[in-house]
Amino acid sequence: MAGGAVLLAFLPYSCRVALSQASLVPRIGCVTQVCASVWPSLSRWDSQPVRGIYYTPPVCAGHNKWSKVKTVKIPRDAARARMMAKLTMMIRVAVREGGTNPEFNLALAQIIEQCRNKSIPKATIENSIKGAEKSKGGTQHLYEVRGPGGYVALVEVITENNNRANQEIRHLLSKHGAAVCDGARHSFSRKGVVMAMRGDMSSDQALDLAIEAGAEDVQETEDEEEKAMLQFICGMADMRGVRVELEKLGVTTVSSGLEYVATATAPLGEEQLSDAHELLEALKDYPDVLCVWDNIEAKD
């Protein structure tokens, strides 16, 4: 009501009396009508457009912190927890197969490097290595999958419960129209892959570097944080040499390891791509799944 009191203070006494008797909601339109009846010289106000004054309680600008936690932080923390669990399991398997010394265990050295690139605490890495020999022995499996549209995928699994993992993987595949099959591995080749930061490098420059470093091919990709990356593909025996040469050429490498690279691709339409993406994401979110490789290509 403070606005109405200020407005009334500038009106003649007769107008204020009439307004107080009218018991009207303070509006400029009402003020002009009452004043025109009391003070005829103000009747010209009626011909002018006016805007009403309305009173509403103050509205505070709310900032819901929980919404950001729910939609951003919780999924990010859950994904990081799954990643740490998978890397820990990989360390255990590598230690049981090749020992605890990374200098003589190439697989363990590569996993430790991945952990460092993912900002895994040093204490967590050391505890995983120390507890590897005492932990329950896990087994490693490679599922060959065929999905709708004719694409194939390889799903690498390390688990301590074979029956549970087998049932869960088959359930996820069946839910998304896919199934375990034989022969999918023939569409892939085991290669060494060196991951590097792309930066401002063009495709032609990346190809020239790949040839100079001794790599067979280079492909553009993204990491988990959607940063532009380059995959330098080479033979399994040439992986370490290619990485050393890339470092000499000024390329910032992130990791290196053995992966399955598709030798034949399966083009999919937009709808099939969406369905395949849902299946691949569901598989990657499963705790026992280490990695998923596919030969999917977007149809032009």
Side-chain angles (χ1 to χ4, degrees), residues 131-284:
E133 297 178 351
K134 300 178 182 179
S135 63
K136 183 180 178 180
T139 56
Q140 191 168 358
H141 304 278
L142 188 68
Y143 287 86
E144 301 178 59
V145 176
R146 182 174 299 277
Y151 73 90
V152 293
L154 299 179
V155 184
E156 187 176 7
V157 176
I158 292 183
T159 180
E160 297 176 352
N161 189 325
N162 294 331
N163 292 333
R164 181 200 63 197
N166 184 55
Q167 293 177 0
E168 291 292 336
I169 294 296
R170 291 179 180 273
H171 172 71
L172 287 174
L173 295 176
S174 176
K175 182 179 178 181
H176 293 84
V180 176
C181 70
D182 294 327
R185 192 178 307 190
H186 299 310
S187 298
F188 298 86
S189 180
R190 191 71 163 169
K191 294 287 184 179
V193 177
V194 180
M195 295 289 292
M197 301 293 295
R198 178 171 183 175
D200 299 330
M201 195 183 309
S202 64
S203 299
D204 293 336
Q205 291 174 336
L207 184 58
D208 292 339
L209 287 173
I211 295 174
E212 192 171 352
E216 299 175 1
D217 193 11
V218 60
Q219 297 178 357
E220 301 175 4
T221 184
E222 293 181 347
D223 61 2
E224 293 84 354
E225 299 178 356
E226 299 184 356
K227 293 181 181 179
M229 305 288 291
L230 291 173
Q231 285 183 327
F232 291 90
I233 301 171
C234 58
M236 292 188 293
D238 302 329
M239 181 175 59
R240 178 172 293 182
V242 169
R243 182 168 188 177
V244 172
E245 290 299 322
L246 288 173
E247 292 286 353
K248 291 180 180 179
L249 294 171
V251 179
T252 303
T253 60
V254 176
S255 63
S256 59
L258 300 178
E259 298 185 11
Y260 287 96
V261 178
T263 57
T265 59
L268 299 182
E270 184 176 353
E271 185 175 353
Q272 291 177 329
L273 280 174
S274 178
D275 295 339
H277 177 73
E278 291 183 6
L279 171 59
L280 297 180
E281 289 299 316
L283 289 171
K284 292 176 182 178

Side-chain angles (χ1 to χ4, degrees), residues 33-112:
Q33 294 175 5
V34 175
C35 290
S37 62
V38 177
W39 197 3
S41 61
L42 296 177
S43 60
R44 63 180 181 275
W45 289 14
D46 295 339
S47 61
Q48 302 297 326
V50 295
R51 178 179 295 175
I53 299 177
Y54 299 92
Y55 294 94
T56 58
V59 179
C60 299
H63 300 282
N64 191 347
K65 183 179 179 180
W66 168 246
S67 63
K68 293 183 179 180
V69 172
K70 181 175 64 174
T71 59
V72 178
K73 189 176 186 302
I74 291 179
R76 183 187 301 167
D77 291 346
R80 180 172 175 79
R82 289 194 298 268
M83 176 191 65
M84 291 181 64
K86 292 178 181 181
L87 290 173
T88 300
M89 181 66 73
M90 293 172 67
I91 289 175
R92 292 175 180 175
V93 173
V95 168
R96 284 196 295 268
E97 293 179 353
T100 59
N101 191 343
E103 296 181 1
F104 303 102
N105 189 341
L106 180 60
L108 178 60
Q110 292 175 351
I111 298 171
I112 292 176

